[in-house]
Amino acid sequence: MKTTKDQTVAAGHSVDVERRQAMFEGLMGRVAGRFARVEPRRRARSLVLGLLSDLPRNNCWTIAEHAGATTSHGMKHLLGRAKWDAGAVRDDIRTYMVDHLRDEEAGLVVDETGDLKKGTTTVGAQRQYAGTAAGSRTRR
């Protein structure tokens, strides 16, 4: 993706680490009010940092460990039971990105389906349809 300054930014990596950190903090500040309590707000921040990290696997356990937690209960609570408005967070992120891209030709595509699903050790897991991964479609 090209910005108006013709700098290439891909997969969440940027040349300017300080700018990226400031933008991340600004974005988290924008969505902070969407969480009813401070605990899920902090966990959401940890979740995003975990997803942006280079962890070999992104699941509640690995992300919780990355955040310094001893169990995955908090992450599971955030994703399953905590009170927050996911639609409003999505809208806030979209608005933030439009404000910062400032380019009529710019686009943002988020598609996690390009990652091959390879669950062979998880109960009930099988190869699944994975968007752009050719030949990975199974019967639904």
Side-chain angles (χ1 to χ4, degrees), residues 24 28 35 39-55 57-69 72 74-80 82 84 86 89 93:
F24 177 76
M28 295 310 297
F35 298 89
E39 296 88 351
R41 180 172 49 235
R42 288 180 183 154
R43 283 197 188 100
R45 184 180 192 285
S46 296
L47 174 67
V48 173
L49 288 172
L51 292 171
L52 293 173
S53 74
D54 60 353
L55 290 170
R57 298 190 70 156
N58 288 332
N59 58 48
C60 284
W61 267 110
T62 60
I63 293 172
E65 288 174 347
H66 183 264
S72 64
M75 287 295 168
K76 290 177 181 176
H77 176 77
L78 171 69
L79 296 174
W84 58 287
V89 170
I93 292 170

Side-chain angles (χ1 to χ4, degrees), residues 4-16:
T4 54
K5 295 180 182 177
D6 288 328
Q7 295 176 335
T8 302
V9 180
H13 296 285
S14 173
V15 176
D16 187 349

